């Protein structure tokens, strides 16, 4: 019988922990590798609490060939879901070598070990950042790609590496999911996003202002050519995003070569709409002021998610109110994170 076991790299992190939970619920066994650089073991303990299953965690760096080899020697994997990597755009411009090393060398090491153990199925976390500043919206997968920072470049390079690999060897089944803006948390309030230090992203910043941890939200730019002048993004609930990974694992046997899919809702919301919806849903005021644009930001970005629907049978089900409610429950129940 073929293996039912999935290796989740970066499984202690934000998206990885939610996906691990859904993989358990779908009946898969899960092994996690994570170096805990941006997470804690507590997230998996909560996943165990929610699922009633045990997660085997190996605390290792995906660049460590010996350590990763030992994990593959012990387990037979059906597929790998590869989340592990660094993800802060601003930081990537300050320490580009770290980003290239962890995100690109880390992935290459993982692929080599997979090949050595005849594991040829991988779901890779790509990003809408690979579209750079899109000429129009909604964005389809055939739009031109570009990068404006080292983080984005690591995603582009890894996508190309995966394409080269599957051109060279048709045993590979590669699904690259280009996430739009993941937010929200599991409905239990037990797992969620735990940014270290001052959040870079909008949603954790809003919830920390609401919780009284930060004075006010700075809205980066009020003069974009959007209806209210603030930037528009496609926010997607982390549970919907995680569900896309489970559906990808279900379909991966039949998808030879590379498959590239947008994972978004197809709806765009402005920063002011996000603030006002959060206030309406939670009844909590979010102090904010409009400041200068943030370097590198674009006016609008949202997905055409039809391809994911036809290829995976996946669609986002949760709406903006769900995203706000769940973010706020997680924030209130865990004021200091895990
Ligand atoms: P996260 O930081 O919460 O999770 C990443 C996990 O990987 C962390 O637990 C971290 O400790 C681990 N990790 C980092 N480097 C590692 C290494 N070298 N070896 C082993 N483990 C390592 O981030 P996330 O938001 O869950 O993102 C997961 C993936 O999705 C990342 O690849 C990210 O680039 C991508 N992505 C995220 C977003 C987003 O907005 N959150 C959007 C698009 C794509
Ligand atoms: C959303 C909107 C900001 C913070 C980033 C990465 C992208 C992907 C997702 C990984 C924008 C505005 C934000 C704040 C604000 N990550 N904003 N005040 O920039 O769309 O995407 O995360 O792959 O690669 O670039 O997300 O949440 O930072 O910003 O006004 O304090 O909120 O200007 O319009 P972004 P974000």
């Amino acid at each position: 019988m073929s293996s039912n076991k999935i290796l989740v790299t970066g499984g202690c992190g934000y998206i990885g922990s939610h996906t691990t939970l859904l993989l358990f619920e779908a009946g898969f066994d899960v092994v996690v590798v994570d170096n805990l650089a941006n997470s804690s073991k507590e997230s998996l303990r909560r996943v165990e609490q929610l699922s009633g299953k045990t997660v085997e965690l190996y605390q290792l760096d995906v660049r460590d060939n010996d350590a990763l080899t030992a994990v593959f020697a012990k387990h037979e994997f059906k597929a790998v879901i590869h989340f592990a990597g660094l993800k802060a755009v601003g930081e990537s411009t300050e320490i580009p070598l770290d980003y290239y090393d962890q995100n690109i060398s880390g992935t290459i090491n993982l692929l080599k070990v997979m090949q050595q153990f005849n594991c040829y199925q991988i779901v890779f976390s790509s990003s809408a950042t690979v579209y750079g500043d899109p000429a129009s919206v909604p964005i389809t997968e055939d739009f031109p790609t570009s990068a404006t920072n080292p983080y984005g470049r690591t995603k582009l390079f890894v996508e190309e590496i995966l394409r080269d690999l599957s051109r060279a060897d048709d045993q590979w089944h590669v699904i690259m999911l280009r996430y739009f803006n993941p937010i929200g948390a599991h409905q239990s309030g037990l797992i969620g996003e735990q940014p270290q230090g001052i959040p870079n992203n909008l949603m954790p910043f809003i919830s920390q202002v609401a919780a009284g941890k930060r004075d006010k939200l700075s809205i980066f730019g009020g003069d974009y050519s959007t209806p209210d002048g603030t930037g528009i993004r496609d926010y997607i609930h982390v549970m919907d995003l995680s569900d896309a990974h489970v559906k990808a694992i279900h379909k991966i046997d039949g998808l030879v070569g590379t498959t590239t899919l947008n994972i978004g809702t197809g709806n765009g919301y402005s920063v002011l709409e996000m603030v006002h919806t959060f206030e309406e849903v939670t009844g909590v005021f979010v102090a904010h002021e409009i400041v200068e644009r943030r370097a590198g930001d674009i006016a609008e970005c949202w997905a055409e998610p039809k391809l994911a629907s036809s290829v995976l049978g996946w669609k986002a089900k949760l709406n903006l109110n769900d995203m706000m409610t769940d973010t706020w429950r997680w924030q209130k129940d865990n004021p200091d994170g895990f």
Side-chain angles (χ1 to χ4, degrees), residues 128-142:
T129 195
V130 301
Y131 295 114
D133 192 352
S136 61
V137 275
I139 300 168
T140 50
E141 287 82 355
D142 55 1

Side-chain angles (χ1 to χ4, degrees), residues 14 18 183-193 237-239 318 322-323 325-331:
Y14 175 41
H18 291 78
I183 62 170
H186 186 258
Q187 289 77 0
S188 64
L190 283 173
I191 53 173
E193 182 175 16
H237 198 298
V238 67
M239 294 303 293
L318 300 166
D322 301 316
M323 301 182 214
T325 305
D326 295 335
T327 300
W328 186 226
R329 186 186 302 106
W330 156 252
Q331 173 69 48

Side-chain angles (χ1 to χ4, degrees), residues 9-17 33-40 60-63 82-88 101-103 106 124-129 151 155 177-182 193-194 201 241:
T9 76
C12 295
Y14 175 41
I15 307 167
S17 55
V33 298
D34 199 304
N35 66 358
L36 304 181
N38 194 37
S39 55
S40 78
L60 60 81
D61 193 303
V62 288
R63 293 168 296 174
H82 182 36
F83 293 109
L86 302 180
K87 63 163 181 177
D101 193 31
Q102 306 230 18
N103 293 6
F124 172 63
S125 303
S126 190
S127 167
T129 195
Y151 168 73
K155 293 296 177 191
L177 301 181
R178 292 176 173 164
Y179 316 157
F180 281 66
N181 289 56
E193 182 175 16
Q194 178 173 252
N201 296 116
L241 174 58

Side-chain angles (χ1 to χ4, degrees), residues 89 127 129 151 181 201-202 218-220 233 235 294 297:
V89 172
S127 167
T129 195
Y151 168 73
N181 289 56
N201 296 116
L202 177 66
S218 296
I219 296 182
F220 300 138
R233 298 290 182 274
Y235 297 93
R294 179 171 66 180
D297 271 358

